[in-house]
Amino acid sequence: MATATYTVKGMTCGHCVSSVKEEVGEVAGVTSVEVDLAGGLLTVESDSPLDTATIVAAVEEAGYEVANPA
């Protein structure tokens, strides 16, 4: 199992959190998605390490931006 944490910019409410969780949760291999609205943190657990670009694309599809993607 792999865990990765990202900082997401632009989230301001519960709907933002839901949008990000839904898009990232649809990425193949993702087993868990947690979003901390106050800190802007997205924590993704997966069966194996995921490509950062895949997660960034999912966050952008939800309408937000990942700060400093690795």
Side-chain angles (χ1 to χ4, degrees):
M1 180 175 285
T3 302
T5 302
Y6 306 88
T7 301
V8 179
K9 299 193 300 188
M11 295 187 302
T12 58
C13 65
H15 181 265
C16 301
V17 170
S18 296
S19 295
V20 170
K21 287 180 83 167
E22 181 178 342
E23 288 296 336
V24 174
E26 291 178 0
V27 172
V30 170
T31 57
S32 173
V33 179
E34 294 298 325
V35 179
D36 173 18
L37 178 61
L41 296 178
L42 165 66
T43 303
V44 180
E45 291 185 0
S46 55
D47 295 326
S48 59
L50 297 172
D51 182 27
T52 298
T54 304
I55 300 301
V56 169
V59 170
E60 289 175 350
E61 182 68 28
Y64 304 96
E65 180 183 350
V66 173
N68 303 318

